[in-house]
Amino acid sequence: MDSSFAERVRSERERAGLSQMQLARLCDLSGPMISCLERGKSAGSEKVLVSVARALGVRPEWLRAGSGKREGDWLDTFAAPQPFPERLRQLRKEAGLTQRQVAYFVGVSTAAVSCWETGTREVPTGNNLVRLAEALGLDPAEVMKVDGKSTAPRNEVQLLAAFRALQEEQQLEAIKLVEALKRTGTSGQ
């Protein structure tokens, strides 16, 4: 199937179950920019291309030209493999934060942050992950990228993107629904 760049962006976004706004948030772009890409009004810069491809889990060259492999370990060409503890330490330092500042923002002890950075404690999840990402000024999916790949399952990233697209009141309702599902044991397990 020979398709255009615009068609590939739209079809991959739809395949991922994302709205234009959700994809825009994952890429740190505007909704209108995604719309322009999908309508063929803009091809975007190389930075935009890489960001959109990364969010959709496809290779940039495939997204741009339809050539080569669709998926693969292309992210390894952009960053050297880096375990989560090292990545967290690097992101914290790049943000100009101390472990104490991160701990205060996340609502955990300084020892917990130190353990995350040394790998002696499990990777943060749930609210801790969201607050950690906010402290670093990143999306949780970006914080969880290790070796160029997200350690969070794709459905968690999609769920987070969908959650963030909701109004605050709707977010509170979504939280109540998930809590109710956990209590009743009907979470699909």
Side-chain angles (χ1 to χ4, degrees):
M1 176 180 133
D2 190 25
S3 60
S4 70
F5 169 70
E7 290 168 337
R8 283 187 295 280
V9 171
R10 186 186 68 251
S11 68
E12 288 300 314
R13 176 185 58 78
E14 289 172 350
R15 185 181 69 76
L18 299 171
S19 69
Q20 287 182 346
M21 285 306 300
Q22 290 168 331
L23 178 58
R25 284 192 179 109
L26 287 173
C27 299
D28 198 25
L29 299 171
S30 69
M33 179 61 179
I34 299 298
S35 177
C36 285
L37 293 174
E38 290 187 0
R39 290 182 293 125
K41 300 294 182 189
S42 172
S45 67
E46 189 65 21
K47 182 179 177 182
V48 167
L49 173 69
V50 170
S51 180
V52 171
R54 186 175 281 172
L56 295 173
V58 298
R59 291 176 175 255
E61 63 272 13
W62 179 85
L63 193 60
R64 169 79 72 204
S67 61
K69 287 183 171 181
R70 180 177 159 276
E71 298 175 328
D73 296 333
W74 66 271
L75 290 171
D76 293 339
T77 63
F78 290 93
Q82 187 178 38
F84 178 80
E86 291 175 23
R87 178 165 173 71
L88 175 57
R89 186 172 34 259
Q90 177 187 347
L91 290 171
R92 177 182 56 79
K93 288 181 178 183
E94 287 174 1
L97 298 172
T98 65
Q99 287 182 343
R100 176 177 282 181
Q101 290 169 319
V102 170
Y104 177 79
F105 193 86
V106 175
V108 297
S109 68
T110 305
V113 175
S114 177
C115 289
W116 289 336
E117 290 187 0
T118 60
T120 56
R121 181 178 256 185
E122 291 276 326
V123 173
T125 59
N127 287 337
N128 285 346
L129 173 59
V130 173
R131 287 190 297 262
L132 176 61
E134 289 171 352
L136 299 172
L138 297 170
D139 186 272
E142 281 299 310
V143 173
M144 297 305 295
K145 283 191 177 164
V146 178
D147 297 339
K149 299 173 189 168
S150 178
T151 59
R154 185 179 185 104
N155 60 348
E156 286 183 30
V157 173
Q158 290 173 328
L159 180 62
L160 183 60
F163 179 81
R164 287 186 167 192
L166 298 173
Q167 297 294 324
E168 185 175 356
E169 191 173 297
Q170 294 171 316
Q171 289 179 345
L172 295 173
E173 288 299 314
I175 291 168
K176 288 178 187 175
L177 177 61
V178 170
E179 291 298 325
L181 287 171
K182 284 178 15 184
R183 281 192 302 275
T184 61
T186 59
S187 60
Q189 293 183 348

